[in-house]
Amino acid sequence: MYAWEKVRQYPEVILVEGLFDYAVLWQAGFCCLTCSLGTHLNAGQFGQLCDRPRTVYLTFDVDTNGSGQQASQRLAHRLRAQGIVARRVLLPQGHDPNSFFVQDGDAQQFQSLLEAAQP
């Protein structure tokens, strides 16, 4: 996981798919985040998320074909089976975190999405 050593101690972590998503959230002031470089975590990445009790906010792309949200739902199920609280952040249709901010989203609006994240 990208920048894992910076966030591994946090009880809440935002997980995004790509580095641009990571960068835009970091610039917006969200420091408890990491990037998996895709939606399918390998065993090592999965183990990192499950190494202690925490809440993981899955912030995957809301693709028009539904692939990002399907991957998010599968990962949430796997995390819950390991005792991790998984919350799915629902961005507007067709967006990822980067495009959300590029199209005038702001940190307060993103924080609202985190607070409304679904189990």
Side-chain angles (χ1 to χ4, degrees):
M1 298 269 214
Y2 185 78
W4 182 249
E5 289 303 314
K6 292 181 181 179
V7 298
R8 70 177 307 171
Q9 302 299 325
Y10 286 108
E12 295 183 339
V13 174
I14 301 167
L15 176 64
V16 297
E17 287 183 54
L19 291 175
F20 284 113
D21 300 328
Y22 176 92
V24 74
L25 286 175
W26 182 263
Q27 289 176 338
F30 296 92
C31 60
C32 304
L33 73 140
T34 189
C35 172
S36 58
L37 300 174
T39 59
H40 301 286
L41 277 64
N42 63 39
Q45 291 172 316
F46 186 76
Q48 287 173 315
L49 288 177
C50 298
D51 70 348
R52 67 190 68 229
R54 68 170 43 95
T55 299
V56 178
Y57 290 90
L58 303 171
T59 313
F60 290 171
D61 301 0
V62 182
D63 307 302
T64 54
N65 67 5
S67 62
Q69 290 306 298
Q70 290 170 5
S72 177
Q73 190 169 12
R74 285 190 304 272
L75 180 55
H77 180 70
R78 288 179 58 207
L79 289 168
R80 285 188 204 106
Q82 297 298 314
I84 302 299
V85 176
R87 311 274 303 174
R88 294 184 306 120
V89 178
L90 299 178
L91 295 163
Q93 182 65 34
H95 283 283
D96 60 23
N98 183 48
S99 65
F100 176 79
F101 279 89
V102 167
Q103 293 191 359
D104 296 324
D106 61 29
Q108 184 176 1
Q109 291 168 329
F110 188 80
Q111 182 62 43
S112 294
L113 293 174
L114 290 174
E115 292 166 6
Q118 299 179 352

